[in-house]
Amino acid sequence: MLPWGHAAVGYLCYTLYSRLSYRGPPVGAAVLALAVGTQFPDLIDKPMAWTFGVFPSGRSFAHSLLTLAVVAGVLYAIYRNRAELVTATAFLVGWASHLFADAYPLLFGEPTCLRYLLWPVFGVCPYEEGSRSIVGHLLAIELGNGIWFGIGLTAVAGVVWLYDGAPGARYLLRSVANRLQ
């Protein structure tokens, strides 16, 4: 799944979580943390594998539920007040949604490897072996079911985000304005 699809899946998951847990739509810094969380696994794994050759695959360390569990434990151990916990939870929901959204080919009956979810207990997926570049990855994109699915999800999430009052936008604008003063 491409970045906008991950952001859409993450937002839809988090707005549902927020409504069930907090009785309202997402707010402020939590939405920005969510956005970072939805991209986090690719921001770590892809450059570390494809550019630096440190990880064995573009889906390994940060795509593992084991890494997510350790980071969640650390975040919940250090953050104590409600605002910090809400923000940490949003980041983790975004991260977790990314991991499962990468399995979207299963929705179209296409085989996909899920071993990355328990890396390093299980090895990397065969189609992820070898090195690639991020530019090469983007140039190889084909307009198949997955791309259209991601575009559709993004449209739905955009409508939901607007319905929710565009959370995070005012917070971001205020933060930028305060820094410019």
Side-chain angles (χ1 to χ4, degrees):
M1 183 166 284
L2 293 170
W4 53 84
H6 283 300
V9 170
Y11 188 78
L12 293 171
C13 289
Y14 189 69
T15 193
L16 178 64
Y17 173 84
S18 180
R19 289 174 185 287
L20 293 173
S21 298
Y22 310 124
R23 308 279 186 242
V27 294
V31 177
L32 300 179
L34 171 72
V36 172
T38 65
Q39 307 307 309
F40 188 71
D42 285 344
L43 292 172
I44 300 298
D45 285 350
K46 302 259 188 286
M48 296 303 279
W50 296 350
T51 304
F52 301 110
V54 175
F55 294 159
S57 166
R59 285 187 188 162
S60 54
F61 178 76
H63 281 76
S64 175
L65 290 170
L66 304 174
T67 304
L68 174 65
V70 169
V71 172
V74 169
L75 289 177
Y76 288 131
I78 22 182
Y79 293 133
R80 295 287 177 213
N81 74 47
R82 187 178 194 287
E84 291 173 334
L85 291 171
V86 167
T87 303
T89 299
F91 173 78
L92 294 168
V93 167
W95 185 351
S97 73
H98 180 113
L99 303 185
F100 292 103
D102 273 345
Y104 79 88
L106 294 174
L107 297 174
F108 300 104
E110 299 170 15
T112 191
C113 177
L114 300 177
R115 291 189 304 211
Y116 65 87
L117 290 172
L118 291 176
W119 184 87
V121 174
F122 296 115
V124 295
C125 298
Y127 60 85
E128 285 286 330
E129 300 288 349
S131 64
R132 297 167 65 178
S133 72
I134 292 173
V135 172
H137 177 69
L138 293 174
L139 292 175
I141 293 170
E142 296 178 14
L143 288 177
N145 288 340
I147 298 297
W148 292 115
F149 181 64
I151 291 169
L153 279 173
T154 303
V156 170
V159 169
V160 172
W161 181 72
L162 289 171
Y163 175 79
D164 285 349
R170 270 183 254 132
Y171 177 85
L172 181 61
L173 292 173
R174 265 183 280 174
S175 295
V176 170
N178 289 340
R179 299 234 189 305
L180 295 175
Q181 292 178 355

